[in-house]
Amino acid sequence: MAKKLFLKTLGCAMNVRDSEHMIAELNRIERYDLTQDESEADLIIINTCSVREKPVNKLFSEIGQFVKQKKKSAKIGVCGCTASHLGDEIFKRAPEVSFVLGARNVSKITQAVSTDKFLDININYDESKYAFGEFRQNPYKAYINISIGCDKKCAFCIVPHTRGDEISIPHEIILSEAEKAAKEGAKEIFLLGQNVNNYGRRVGGGKRGEMNFSQLLTLISKIDEVKRIRFTSPHPLHMDDEFLETFSSNPKICKSMHMPLQSGSTQILKSMRRGYTKEWFLERAQKLRQMSPDTAISTDIIVGFPGESEEDFEDTMNVMEEVGFEQIFSFKYSARPLTSAAQMTNIVDAKTASSRLKKLQERHAVLLDKMTPRYKERVFEVYFEELRENGMIAGRTSQNFTVCVNGSEDLLGKIKNVKITRPQRLILYGQVV
Ligand code: 5AD
Ligand code: SF4
């Protein structure tokens, strides 16, 4: 009989893919069916994120809940970024946990499950050529890793300490994964890496790769069955002309660009060690708008980084206005262990940081309210991928806007033209035309 697996995934798309990899690996040895009910699970895995403090704090109370609910024989494992950074401490604080597997060690999941108190959090382990088993939760959109780790040393970020140095996955592996997924019906390929447009700088063994990110995008776009390509996350520093040119001119590349700004103040960017200035960011964003006017630009912003003055914050607000981001993900700075910013003493108090976050989000809502009505009557190509309640079905435009129409599951996996009748901030409602 199949075993039951309860798998909770937190964090970014990389983690979502790591979870798929673990499911595939487990199923190589014996069958595991996914369950949403931890009390019937034989195996409970928490795939964690440590980018901000909150989810880390919640981890131990969550493990406590699982211990209470679980079957006596069920094992609990902690994987992912928090596993990498806390390691052995997890066993000490939660003795019921039977294995701890780092974000760069997920290929060892079957070993972890079958060994008592298994611990592997080696961030120098090279999984870049590991041939993972096959499992995809979404048949329409195939997540594919193109690199592991991150070479940047942003002062606020724990990721280089949990995922290790950056290594690009050989393009032959990526291409064959994309071909296979596309032949099985995934019209959209979603390339993943901490720093995708740095692709090819280093492959396993330390050598330079044979192709850069622009060339990789072009190669994947030649697969007939692939209709859409997305990627996350690119770094503003590596948005050179060749990349912007490839992005703008290739019709299969979705017109949605994530440009993580973090701060609009050159001084704060310097102390964050982002490697670009406010001017560089604005120039790249303007060039992108010029070359590809239909592109929607999203961003990540941190407020309250140590030393951020009112003037620095105003710089961030101004860049937001000037670029007119279609979407923002905004966060209050959270000091993370192992990072250089954690040593900084010029802390912004929590109240100021909260009020800046609120101000930023309110200003962005005003921006969105100006942008959204423009989509009325516009026709977008929508790739349908999700059934919603009340007979609605949802999909995405190339710009990554969510569109909902009345329709049945016949639309799933299809790309159709939709005319927008009722545009709202987060969802554009429309009709297939
Ligand atoms: N505090 C707040 N936000 C952070 N991020 C990364 N590290 C921190 C931190 N220490 C945000 C960045 C990044 C996104 C994934 O999370 O904006 O782009
Ligand atoms: Fe993803 Fe970063 Fe969170 Fe790790 S710490 S799960 S890489 S967002």
Side-chain angles (χ1 to χ4, degrees):
M1 212 175 71
K3 287 191 169 167
K4 290 213 180 322
L5 167 66
F6 177 90
L7 202 169
K8 177 160 185 178
T9 307
L10 302 165
C12 61
M14 295 289 276
N15 261 21
V16 173
R17 186 62 184 143
D18 289 346
S19 285
E20 291 182 342
H21 279 156
M22 287 193 280
I23 295 167
E25 287 303 301
L26 286 168
N27 275 289
R28 275 189 208 258
I29 309 287
E30 57 187 326
R31 206 176 117 202
Y32 276 90
D33 291 337
L34 289 170
T35 173
Q36 306 292 327
D37 176 3
E38 62 263 34
S39 68
E40 65 163 17
D42 300 288
L43 177 60
I44 296 175
I45 298 178
I46 315 171
N47 192 10
T48 59
C49 172
S50 47
V51 98
R52 279 170 295 276
E53 198 179 359
K54 249 193 200 156
V56 180
N57 288 343
K58 268 177 58 190
L59 174 66
F60 292 98
S61 60
E62 213 155 36
I63 294 173
Q65 286 301 319
F66 290 148
V67 170
K68 267 192 227 150
Q69 314 261 334
K70 78 178 186 75
K71 285 202 307 206
K72 209 163 169 219
S73 58
K75 281 191 172 180
I76 302 180
V78 177
C79 304
C81 288
T82 309
S84 303
H85 105 254
L86 292 182
D88 201 23
E89 199 188 320
I90 296 176
F91 289 139
K92 290 188 189 131
R93 286 178 65 181
E96 301 85 358
V97 169
S98 57
F99 61 90
V100 172
L101 199 57
R104 203 171 165 132
N105 317 89
V106 293
S107 60
K108 296 192 180 158
I109 183 69
T110 51
Q111 214 183 325
V113 170
S114 59
T115 315
D116 194 35
K117 293 287 170 198
F118 186 91
L119 171 78
D120 194 345
I121 53 165
N122 178 6
I123 60 167
N124 295 314
Y125 186 62
D126 182 359
E127 278 187 334
S128 67
K129 291 186 192 136
Y130 187 83
F132 282 98
E134 282 286 318
F135 179 83
R136 296 192 181 282
Q137 234 154 358
N138 184 334
Y140 312 112
K141 178 184 339 201
Y143 285 120
I144 298 180
N145 289 346
I146 68 164
S147 61
I148 59 175
C150 178
D151 266 359
K152 293 273 176 281
K153 295 280 174 280
C154 298
F156 51 80
C157 190
I158 196 170
V159 174
H161 309 277
T162 62
R163 290 190 178 267
D165 289 346
E166 193 171 311
I167 302 178
S168 299
I169 292 171
H171 67 267
E172 298 87 354
I173 296 180
I174 300 169
L175 190 68
S176 85
E177 229 189 297
E179 275 169 350
K180 187 159 189 301
K183 289 210 164 72
E184 284 167 5
K187 293 190 171 81
E188 185 171 312
I189 299 295
F190 205 131
L191 304 175
L192 300 175
Q194 297 303 330
N195 196 353
V196 286
N197 49 342
N198 198 33
Y199 180 79
R201 296 294 159 99
R202 190 194 308 125
V203 288
K207 286 193 303 250
R208 209 181 167 85
E210 283 165 37
M211 60 173 70
N212 65 20
F213 187 53
S214 302
Q215 292 162 324
L216 179 70
L217 286 171
T218 306
L219 189 69
I220 292 173
S221 73
K222 291 193 173 136
I223 304 171
D224 271 352
E225 294 85 350
V226 171
K227 304 296 174 207
R228 288 185 165 196
I229 304 171
R230 294 188 195 277
F231 50 84
T232 200
S233 261
H235 195 295
L237 183 65
H238 303 301
M239 292 195 173
D240 55 22
D241 287 348
E242 182 193 3
F243 171 62
L244 294 186
E245 181 61 44
T246 305
F247 176 87
S248 315
S249 61
N250 189 322
K252 287 193 180 178
I253 301 178
C254 287
K255 297 300 169 263
S256 148
M257 182 76 90
H258 191 58
M259 285 186 78
L261 169 67
Q262 313 300 2
S263 169
S265 150
T266 294
Q267 199 184 313
I268 294 295
L269 286 169
K270 193 162 179 221
S271 93
M272 285 176 162
R273 294 204 231 150
R274 290 288 291 169
Y276 54 86
T277 59
K278 170 187 178 175
E279 288 71 27
W280 164 267
F281 187 96
L282 281 173
E283 193 274 327
R284 290 288 94 184
Q286 274 150 7
K287 182 139 196 177
L288 174 60
R289 291 267 192 233
Q290 248 170 33
M291 293 172 86
S292 179
D294 214 23
T295 290
I297 308 181
S298 57
T299 197
D300 291 343
I301 293 173
I302 297 176
V303 299
F305 186 77
E308 185 189 68
S309 65
E310 211 41 54
E311 210 185 330
D312 294 320
F313 174 63
E314 276 309 314
D315 276 342
T316 301
M317 294 281 260
N318 291 338
V319 174
M320 181 173 80
E321 292 271 347
E322 209 164 311
V323 178
F325 296 113
E326 277 80 359
Q327 191 176 21
I328 65 165
F329 300 91
S330 49
F331 314 99
K332 245 190 308 183
Y333 168 70
S334 154
R336 308 304 298 119
L338 313 172
T339 62
S340 59
Q343 311 299 322
M344 295 178 182
T345 50
N346 42 354
I347 308 284
V348 173
D349 67 90
K351 215 170 131 203
T352 308
S354 297
S355 106
R356 286 180 187 165
L357 187 67
K358 189 160 170 259
K359 236 167 125 181
L360 183 90
Q361 289 172 343
E362 283 172 357
R363 182 89 66 90
H364 188 251
V366 173
L367 265 179
L368 270 187
D369 283 342
K370 273 195 217 148
M371 277 181 225
T372 310
R374 290 185 212 147
Y375 305 132
K376 193 166 165 138
E377 304 290 319
R378 245 192 86 169
V379 175
F380 288 100
E381 253 189 13
V382 176
Y383 183 30
F384 288 100
E385 51 179 287
E386 190 195 339
L387 278 176
R388 295 266 172 111
E389 284 167 358
N390 310 328
M392 302 295 272
I393 176 159
R396 301 270 176 161
T397 71
S398 168
Q399 294 79 1
N400 210 23
F401 300 148
T402 301
V403 170
C404 270
V405 302
N406 278 313
S408 69
E409 58 191 10
D410 297 345
L411 279 175
L412 284 175
K414 302 216 168 93
I415 299 177
K416 298 272 180 199
N417 282 330
V418 173
K419 188 172 191 174
I420 304 305
T421 49
R422 196 160 52 88
Q424 293 193 346
R425 245 189 232 165
L426 299 177
I427 299 178
L428 309 177
Y429 292 91
Q431 282 163 354
V432 176
V433 289

